[in-house]
Structure formats: structure tokens, C-alpha cells
Amino acid sequence: MIQPRTLKGFRDYLPAAMIPREQLMQTAREVFRSFGFAPIDTPTLEHLEILTGKGSDETDRQLYSFEDNGGRPVGMRFDLTVPLARFAAQHIGTLGTPFKRYHIAPVWRGEKPQEGRYREFVQCDFDTIGTTSELADIEAVCVIDALLRAIGIDAFTISINNRAILTGLLESLGLADKTTPVLRSLDKLGKIGREKTANEMVESAGVTAEQADAVLRLAECDGDAESILASLPEITGGNETAAAGIERLTQIYRGALASGVSPDRLKIDVSIARGLDYYTGVIFETTLDELPGIGSVCSGGRYDNLAGLYTKQHLPGIGASLGLDRLLAALESLGRLSGVSKPCAVFVPFFDKGHRDDYLKLASQLRDAGIGVEVYPEPKKLGQQLKYADSQGFAVAIIAGGNEWEAGAVQVKTLATKESQDVAYSHESPDALIEAIQAATS
Amino acid sequence: MIQPRTLKGFRDYLPAAMIPREQLMQTAREVFRSFGFAPIDTPTLEHLEILTGKGSDETDRQLYSFEDNGGRPVGMRFDLTVPLARFAAQHIGTLGTPFKRYHIAPVWRGEKPQEGRYREFVQCDFDTIGTTSELADIEAVCVIDALLRAIGIDAFTISINNRAILTGLLESLGLADKTTPVLRSLDKLGKIGREKTANEMVESAGVTAEQADAVLRLAECDGDAESILASLPEITGGNETAAAGIERLTQIYRGALASGVSPDRLKIDVSIARGLDYYTGVIFETTLDELPGIGSVCSGGRYDNLAGLYTKQHLPGIGASLGLDRLLAALESLGRLSGVSKPCAVFVPFFDKGHRDDYLKLASQLRDAGIGVEVYPEPKKLGQQLKYADSQGFAVAIIAGGNEWEAGAVQVKTLATKESQDVAYSHESPDALIEAIQAATS
């Protein structure tokens, strides 16, 4: 006998975990579509040369790669951005621009398995490609806002910044070539504090204490959005790149508010840098006000050129990624997941053997009215079937034995309260039952 | 520069192909859920020993397998049944029975690429495990019926048979040990005709001409369902296994009708055998009346024991698989796919630069009313934007320039007919526009 087990770092999704997961993905799809983003899919396996050297050394090391049966070196995608770049280079002539797509699909990384991190996980990305317009930037904020609201989260903060502001400041300080090490240090500001960050900048990026101070003055610029926007020109010393970045950031902030994003959900935070990403313009992070510690649940930004490795066509764009697993963990800690193992609310015990077809007909009529129903498959004792119903998390049971069928009525039992009511029902007149169930499950 | 290309046998899904694909999967999910089937997911990669030797020699040969970075032999799943067996063996103690699940996920087979066949394709399975009840069999028929109707197909035929009837006949003929070669020959009856099938049975299965004739008499038993059911006892010579199989088939047929399946969509066809599958009881095939040549779009059946290789627990079950790619190809040949590249119907050209935030606000209000809207990201000429709208397949454009914004009205243009109407709109009173759009897109 073979031991049934999953690979280290991989997991099965049982119904109680898969139901909210599937709901979350469906909600994301609906929001993306409502903004005109269209779905695409790409193969799990790509030519190895498409994937290697595109992320970091780490992603190369973690890549699942092998030779296929035809001797071709292939790899499993480790994100959805590299396949998007390859896809765009290959198809943009057919698709035209602007091209707005979403892609919800698993990716694989041979990471060291640890609490809450798996070697297979789903990414959920949306991007607008082929335009540098600020409207696309504003819209990205609106999409994030709509996503979180549709998921049922009210208290969240979308932090926005523009990478160009820091780029401009570094230019004005003569540090343009030290952007990467400065960003790397700056990313630690929240964790290690001002002094240590300044020291690290001096030591590892080789800047002067005065330069580090100027960078930190920018990162620490705090307050309400309009006053930050007003103080940024002075802090960045009138540099042109920074000025354009400030103007764009102002447009995005005001445009998002005008589009209906609530001001208490939108924040300008010039300290966010997303240092190790490839963004060049606006950047986003989204935190849950009740769970700030879990980090950003939706991050993204604007990039200059998506697919330079595969095509000469210049493809600027903007996009973000919803952190599905992080959000599900958050919803769980907030007590927002029901924990049910069943995707429908109504249970019909089958305990009077002679009426099998009546149970089936009743269930079919409810389904035609849009109500999901499970009929127990075997005529076991009623108590046993109701125990099953409780364990699965059904909301309502419809109980009908020989007497009920004869009397033309069924019992509608709310399982949480154990309360029952008699409701008239016959195959010819199902409406009263349909209404009672709709009332009991709404 | 790296050439952007996909691997042989793999493909990208562009929006026009992915939109109906995603809709079909969503419809399937909704139908499965309405019967109490719950979603699960399993890892793409499994320990190699879980996968090898479970299908045929062919699936072993076609398996994508390799050593992962930790030196473990692993493989990519080639179907959803083997992972379900492993999953059930591992979790059935937690899940309990009956366990009803669906699983929609890609699988990989290194087949020789050919027209319409790919090395990565999505399977869409549902199963009820842990019961031998005929109610589960009836329900499987109802699920197939509901699936096809929900997809929008009216003319289809679900053919049902019970493998036990042939098994019983073979028993009575003393051919129980020749089931596999007899089934293999019988599977060709539709293609090569009676005489050649009989010859092949004699030659390759080693049965007598009389025995072949008896088997073919069963397979050719035709007519309306009740008359077939009435004639089967005589044809199978009163064998007990066959008699039980006939009784079960009768129950399923009548139960499905009683549940509301239309009699012209249900057929008893004792010639279907699904010879190379592992079914032991009822078997199903589903053909589209307008496209019988494409073969079955939903097939399945009852099996005795799902997970015998991984657990001592006996797990009988019944399930079927919806042929997603075949159905999409069918919908396309029937002209049922719209070919649009956009998942929302409404387009808002952004051509008066000074009113950017007004366009965004209008779009946001429509979305709040459940209407998907794309706003063009750049203030290009109106004609250019409308050309884009036509190419993408939007249904309606909402046109508002400076004059319109001042007058408190917008133009609603139906793109197919080029007809326009003026509709009152202001951010304070969006209802007339919402109603006009709902009317224009319904």
C-alpha cells in the first residue's frame, strides 16, 4: 500500500478552506471585470530561457526546472509578471493597447517551507499596459478600493507614493547611481528606526551623513495628504524629476478622491519604497487597519517597460497584486470566515424510503428557484442525517416523512436554533416553501 | 533579445478565448454547489509513486516527472482522479462520508500535440464518495442535466447504461475472465459495425461466434427506455448480477425523470461501455444533438473502490467529468460564443481632458449599480476611442464632452447600430443613466 501524503511545502485544500478561497477569487474576478480588465491564462510550463534571470538570484535558485520528454529545458512559472511580459511581447500586435488584463493562477517556488508559506500559491494580478496616463494610475487605486470593499473589509488604508520623488531627490544629491542600496536601507526604516537606517546608508550605500539625513527627511515627511504634497517641493530641492513626480502623485490622490474613494482610506506615504521591485513611478501598499502587522494585502505600482527582454516595443504599464493567502489568513483572524464545509445552505434528509423521488423533486424545484440543496443519499435514521447536517454547516433542513407528504406540508428547521415551522408544500405548489427558505437563509 | 514563444503543445488564452472559458467554469461551479458538491484543490506536484502505475502505460509514458531541488522524484498530475484517491485516503476520516466534491484544475500529459489537443488542459470533475445508494446515481444524471441547461444547451442526450448488465451476461456465458478484451472490441461497434466487431471478439478475445452473438444482441438492444428495460432480463438469461444491474438502471432512469429530467434528454443505451475506464456500475455519456460527431461532452460512472491503493477503507463512489474544451469548441461551432474581448459592456471615452474626474465619477456610480464600465485612459480623439470600443466588442458607449457636461446630459450610443440617445445625467442624479444603460445592455 502506498502512503497517501503530499509533498513537503504543498497542501491540499479541504472544502472548509477552499470555499472562502474560491469566493475570494470570484469576487476579485468580478471587480476586475467591472473595470474592463479581461482574463488571460498562460501555460504553467515555459521555455526555461523565458524564466531564468528575470527575477532575482533567489527566484532562479527556487525555480522548478527540468527537461521535458522531448529534451527541452522547461520551468514552472514563479510569478505572473514574467509570463505577462512574454505574453505581451508575443500578442500585443493582435491585442492592441491599452491592454488591461487580470490573471489568477498558481505559481511555484522551491522556498524553504515555513509557517504560512508554501511552494505552490496563487497570485492574483491586474495590469494596464501600453499607457502612461495618470488615469490608469488613479484607476488602479479605485480597483484596490473596490476589491477590499467587495471582499467585505471596511477599515483599510491604501498608501501611495511615487518612486520618482525619491529618484529626483537622489539626483539632486548626486546619488543617482546609489538608488538600489539606498532603497534597500530605506526599506528597513519601519523596522530598525532612523538612526540605524542612517548608519546603514552611510556604511553600505556609501553616502554622507548629510545625504542620508536628506533622504530620511523625505521618508519621514508625515501628516495629512495635502500638507505632505505642499511640503515635498522644498524637501526635494526643486529637482525637476521630483517635481513631476509630486505633480503626478497629487493628480492620483485628488483623482481617486474625486472617483469616490473615501479620504480616510487613502494616504500619501513617502516612506514606502518597495525597494526590490521594478517600479519606476507610483507605488501602492494596502494595509488592514485592524491587522496592520500582517503587512500589505495589495501592492503594486507603475513600471517603465514591461517586456524589454522580449520585444523592442516599449510597453509602460501599471499593475498590482492581491495577496490572496494573506487576505484569507486576515479574514480568518478577524472571524469573517464561516468555516462551513458546504457551498449550499439547505439540507434535505432522505429518511422515508418510499418517497425518494419526492425528495428529489422537491430539491429540483428549489434549485430551479436558485436555492442550493443537498439531499442525503441514503435512507438512514433522521437523527444520524441531522448530525451530518450540523457537522457540515448547513443552515436549514427540510424534513418530510410519510405523514408530512400526506398532509401536504414539510418542516423547515433552522439548524442553529433547532426551531421548526410547518410550511405547506406539494410538487404542484412549491412557492410557500421557496419563500420560507429564502426568508430562513437570507 | 529572447524570442517570446510558448512550448510546443501549450497555449496562451487571450481574452476572447478566456472570457467564455471562465464563464463556463463559473457556471459549472454554481451547478455543482447547488447540489451540495464542495470545491477542493490538490497540489500540482505529487510524490512520483502516487502517480505512476495508476492510469495506463500511456499515462506513465506521458507523465511530466523530475527530481525536485531536494532530490525527491515528483510528477505533475495527469488527471484529477488519482489525486482524489490520494486525497480521500488521507482525509476521509476528517471529512466523513458521504463526501461530495468538485475539482476544476489543469492536468498535464506529454501527448503528441495534434489539432485541438494540448499538453495542458483543464479537467472539471464531480464525485460522490462513500455511498452505493442509487440516489447518488440519479443525482449524477440530474447534475449533468443541470450543467448542460445552465451552459445554455437545450438539445442534448444523456445516455445511461449499467456495466453490471454486461458483466452478468458474460458471467452467464462463462466469459467473466474475458471482460476486458470483450469490452475493448465492443467499444468499436459504433465505428466498425456488427460483423467486424464479432470477428474481432472471436479473434482477439477468444470467444465463440455464439458467445459474440449473445454479447452483440445485448449491445444492439434498442428502442424506447421502458421496452429496453423490459427486454433485458431475457437477453441476459436471468443472470442475478445482470438482474440487479437492470433493477438499478430502472431506478436511475425513473428517478431521473421523477426529479424533472426531460424524457427526450434521457436514453438507455446498453451499447456504451467506456471500456478502458474503471467503472463497475452505471455509466454515462452525454452527446449534443446538434453535434453528435464530437463525442461525449460529459462522461462518468460508478466505481467500486476509489482508493484501494492508498487505504484499506472501502470507498465506493460515482462521478463524472465535464469536457470543458470539447464543450467550448462545440459552443463555438454552434455560434454561441460572442467573441468579445471585454468582460464588461459599457465604454466611456475620455476625450475632454478637463473633465477627467467627471468620467471617473460617472464610471464609479455605474459600477456601484452593478454595471461594468471601462474608461479609456488617454484623452485621444473621440473617433479613435470609438474605433477601439468597436474592436473590443463593447455594447454601449457613454459620450460626454464639455457641452454635455454643462447641459447635464450624456449620449448613450449603442455601438452595433450607431444609434444614440440623450440621457439626463449629473453626479447628483445618476438614476436615469443607470436605467438607460440597463435597458440598452439587457
Side-chain angles (χ1 to χ4, degrees):
Chain A
M1 194 148 305
I2 299 162
Q3 193 201 340
R5 62 198 173 118
T6 50
L7 281 159
K8 205 174 138 185
F10 289 81
R11 60 176 158 175
D12 287 325
Y13 289 95
L14 274 63
M18 195 62 195
I19 288 170
R21 198 172 171 74
E22 215 176 64
Q23 275 168 348
L24 194 55
M25 290 191 269
Q26 183 57 17
T27 301
R29 280 185 205 108
E30 283 164 12
V31 171
F32 293 146
R33 287 179 199 151
S34 77
F35 283 84
F37 292 86
I40 68 161
D41 203 5
T42 66
T44 292
L45 295 176
E46 297 270 1
H47 285 286
L48 191 57
E49 62 174 11
I50 299 286
L51 300 177
T52 47
K54 303 310 176 302
S56 59
D57 288 351
E58 204 181 17
T59 53
D60 277 2
R61 251 196 331 272
Q62 295 173 347
L63 197 65
Y64 282 93
S65 64
F66 57 100
E67 279 197 0
D68 72 7
N69 294 343
R72 279 170 295 260
V74 301
M76 296 170 78
R77 64 175 170 236
F78 62 88
D79 74 0
L80 302 180
T81 303
V82 172
L84 173 63
R86 195 266 307 145
F87 178 99
Q90 201 170 333
H91 303 295
I92 203 72
T94 310
L95 297 165
T97 58
F99 175 58
K100 297 168 77 172
R101 82 87 174 84
Y102 65 90
H103 192 183
I104 304 177
V107 302
W108 295 266
R109 294 182 193 176
E111 293 186 83
K112 203 170 142 59
Q114 44 181 309
E115 178 66 26
R117 290 183 78 93
Y118 292 88
R119 290 177 166 172
E120 176 175 50
F121 56 98
V122 169
Q123 288 197 333
C124 179
D125 287 13
F126 69 95
D127 287 82
T128 300
I129 297 165
T131 177
T132 57
S133 160
E134 87 274 4
L135 190 141
D137 296 0
I138 296 168
E139 189 175 72
V141 179
C142 296
V143 171
I144 297 174
D145 176 67
L147 274 171
L148 275 284
R149 286 188 294 123
I151 290 163
I153 294 175
D154 288 321
F156 59 89
T157 303
I158 305 171
S159 299
I160 58 175
N161 187 16
N162 192 337
R163 184 72 78 78
I165 300 172
L166 179 64
T167 303
L169 174 65
L170 294 178
E171 271 176 32
S172 76
L173 296 170
L175 295 175
D177 57 334
K178 292 187 173 156
T179 306
T180 303
V182 168
L183 278 178
R184 201 163 303 194
S185 302
L186 203 54
D187 255 354
K188 300 180 186 161
L189 180 59
K191 277 189 196 151
I192 64 175
R194 182 183 227 275
E195 199 177 343
K196 283 187 181 159
T197 305
N199 288 343
E200 192 184 301
M201 257 186 230
V202 172
E203 280 162 29
S204 66
V207 308
T208 68
E210 290 69 31
Q211 288 170 328
D213 183 64
V215 171
L216 285 165
R217 258 189 79 214
L218 171 63
E220 287 171 341
C221 181
D222 205 356
D224 69 278
E226 289 295 347
S227 65
I228 293 177
L229 291 170
S231 64
L232 285 174
E234 184 269 322
I235 294 176
T236 53
N239 170 280
E240 267 181 43
T241 306
I246 296 162
E247 168 59 17
R248 170 63 68 111
L249 188 59
T250 307
Q251 290 293 330
I252 297 170
Y253 177 75
R254 293 185 189 156
L257 293 187
S259 306
V261 176
S262 166
D264 53 321
R265 288 178 176 151
L266 201 54
K267 184 178 150 185
I268 289 185
D269 182 347
V270 286
S271 78
I272 60 169
R274 304 207 67 73
L276 303 174
D277 289 326
Y278 52 99
Y279 301 117
T280 51
V282 59
I283 45 183
F284 312 109
E285 290 187 355
T286 312
T287 47
L288 305 187
D289 298 351
E290 297 173 73
L291 292 170
I294 63 165
S296 176
V297 296
C298 191
S299 311
R302 173 166 281 287
Y303 40 87
D304 248 356
N305 194 10
L306 174 69
L309 292 163
Y310 313 103
T311 176
K312 286 178 185 161
Q313 191 173 348
H314 187 71
L315 289 172
I318 179 158
S321 190
L322 186 72
L324 208 65
D325 290 308
R326 203 173 268 190
L327 257 176
L328 281 164
L331 290 169
E332 191 168 14
S333 13
L334 294 172
R336 301 282 180 78
L337 298 187
S338 69
V340 300
S341 294
K342 279 295 170 182
C344 66
V346 179
F347 178 68
V348 175
F350 163 34
F351 66 102
D352 188 331
K353 207 173 168 169
H355 285 278
R356 184 197 68 202
D357 291 349
D358 291 317
Y359 296 110
L360 286 168
K361 177 80 184 164
L362 181 155
S364 167
Q365 288 183 320
L366 291 180
R367 282 185 207 112
D368 285 345
I371 299 165
V373 185
E374 174 165 324
V375 183
Y376 197 82
E378 295 174 9
K380 289 193 178 161
K381 283 188 184 154
L382 181 58
Q384 237 177 314
Q385 296 190 42
L386 290 176
K387 218 173 128 186
Y388 165 84
D390 278 330
S391 77
Q392 299 291 312
F394 288 102
V396 170
I398 299 174
I399 299 170
N403 296 340
E404 280 89 354
W405 287 118
E406 249 171 62
V410 296
Q411 267 183 61
V412 174
K413 181 168 186 163
T414 303
L415 290 166
T417 62
K418 313 273 177 214
E419 277 167 28
S420 286
Q421 52 166 322
D422 288 341
V423 178
Y425 171 82
S426 69
H427 298 329
E428 292 69 36
S429 314
D431 290 354
L433 178 62
I434 290 168
E435 278 165 36
I437 296 291
Q438 279 163 343
T441 56
S442 69
Chain B
M1 194 145 309
I2 299 162
Q3 193 201 341
R5 62 197 173 119
T6 49
L7 281 160
K8 205 174 138 185
F10 289 80
R11 60 175 159 176
D12 288 325
Y13 289 96
L14 274 63
M18 195 63 195
I19 288 170
R21 198 172 172 75
E22 219 178 37
Q23 276 168 346
L24 194 55
M25 290 191 268
Q26 183 57 16
T27 301
R29 281 185 204 107
E30 283 165 13
V31 170
F32 293 146
R33 287 179 200 151
S34 77
F35 283 84
F37 292 86
I40 68 162
D41 203 6
T42 65
T44 292
L45 295 175
E46 296 271 1
H47 284 286
L48 191 57
E49 62 174 11
I50 299 286
L51 300 177
T52 46
K54 303 310 176 301
S56 59
D57 288 352
E58 203 181 16
T59 53
D60 278 2
R61 249 194 335 269
Q62 295 173 347
L63 197 65
Y64 282 93
S65 64
F66 57 100
E67 279 197 0
D68 72 7
N69 294 344
R72 278 169 296 259
V74 301
M76 297 170 79
R77 64 174 171 237
F78 62 88
D79 74 1
L80 302 179
T81 303
V82 172
L84 173 63
R86 195 267 307 145
F87 178 99
Q90 201 170 333
H91 303 296
I92 203 73
T94 310
L95 296 165
T97 57
F99 175 58
K100 297 168 77 172
R101 82 86 174 84
Y102 65 90
H103 193 182
I104 303 177
V107 301
W108 295 267
R109 294 182 193 175
E111 294 185 82
K112 204 171 142 59
Q114 45 181 309
E115 178 66 26
R117 291 182 78 92
Y118 292 88
R119 291 177 166 172
E120 176 175 50
F121 56 98
V122 169
Q123 288 196 333
C124 179
D125 287 13
F126 69 96
D127 286 82
T128 300
I129 297 166
T131 177
T132 57
S133 160
E134 88 273 4
L135 191 141
D137 296 1
I138 296 167
E139 190 175 73
V141 179
C142 296
V143 171
I144 297 174
D145 177 67
L147 274 171
L148 275 283
R149 286 188 294 124
I151 290 163
I153 294 174
D154 287 320
F156 59 89
T157 303
I158 305 170
S159 299
I160 58 175
N161 187 16
N162 191 338
R163 183 72 77 79
I165 300 172
L166 179 64
T167 304
L169 174 66
L170 294 178
E171 270 176 32
S172 76
L173 296 170
L175 295 175
D177 57 333
K178 292 187 172 155
T179 306
T180 303
V182 168
L183 279 177
R184 201 162 302 193
S185 302
L186 203 54
D187 256 354
K188 299 180 186 161
L189 180 59
K191 278 190 195 151
I192 64 174
R194 182 183 227 275
E195 198 177 343
K196 284 188 180 160
T197 305
N199 288 343
E200 192 184 301
M201 258 186 228
V202 172
E203 280 162 29
S204 66
V207 308
T208 68
E210 290 69 30
Q211 288 169 328
D213 184 63
V215 171
L216 285 166
R217 257 189 80 213
L218 172 62
E220 287 171 341
C221 180
D222 206 357
D224 70 279
E226 289 295 347
S227 65
I228 293 177
L229 291 170
S231 64
L232 285 174
E234 184 269 322
I235 294 176
T236 53
N239 170 279
E240 267 182 41
T241 306
I246 296 162
E247 168 58 18
R248 170 62 69 111
L249 188 59
T250 307
Q251 290 293 329
I252 297 170
Y253 178 75
R254 293 186 189 155
L257 293 187
S259 305
V261 176
S262 167
D264 52 322
R265 287 178 177 152
L266 201 55
K267 184 178 152 186
I268 289 186
D269 182 347
V270 286
S271 78
I272 61 170
R274 303 207 68 74
L276 302 173
D277 289 327
Y278 52 99
Y279 301 117
T280 51
V282 58
I283 44 184
F284 311 109
E285 291 187 355
T286 312
T287 47
L288 305 187
D289 298 352
E290 297 172 74
L291 292 169
I294 63 165
S296 176
V297 296
C298 191
S299 312
R302 173 166 281 287
Y303 40 87
D304 248 355
N305 194 11
L306 174 69
L309 292 162
Y310 313 104
T311 177
K312 286 178 186 161
Q313 191 173 347
H314 187 71
L315 289 172
I318 179 160
S321 190
L322 186 71
L324 208 65
D325 290 307
R326 203 173 268 191
L327 257 175
L328 281 164
L331 290 169
E332 192 168 13
S333 13
L334 293 172
R336 301 282 181 79
L337 298 187
S338 70
V340 300
S341 294
K342 279 294 170 182
C344 66
V346 179
F347 177 68
V348 175
F350 163 34
F351 66 101
D352 189 331
K353 207 173 169 170
H355 285 278
R356 184 197 68 203
D357 291 350
D358 291 316
Y359 296 110
L360 286 168
K361 177 81 183 164
L362 181 155
S364 167
Q365 288 183 320
L366 291 181
R367 282 185 206 110
D368 286 345
I371 299 165
V373 185
E374 174 166 325
V375 183
Y376 198 82
E378 295 175 9
K380 289 192 178 161
K381 282 188 184 154
L382 180 59
Q384 235 177 316
Q385 296 190 42
L386 290 176
K387 217 173 130 187
Y388 166 83
D390 278 330
S391 77
Q392 299 291 312
F394 288 102
V396 170
I398 300 175
I399 299 170
N403 296 340
E404 279 90 355
W405 287 116
E406 248 171 63
V410 296
Q411 267 183 61
V412 174
K413 181 168 186 163
T414 303
L415 290 166
T417 62
K418 314 273 177 214
E419 277 167 29
S420 287
Q421 52 166 321
D422 288 340
V423 179
Y425 171 82
S426 68
H427 298 328
E428 292 69 36
S429 313
D431 290 354
L433 178 61
I434 290 168
E435 278 164 38
I437 297 291
Q438 279 163 343
T441 56
S442 69

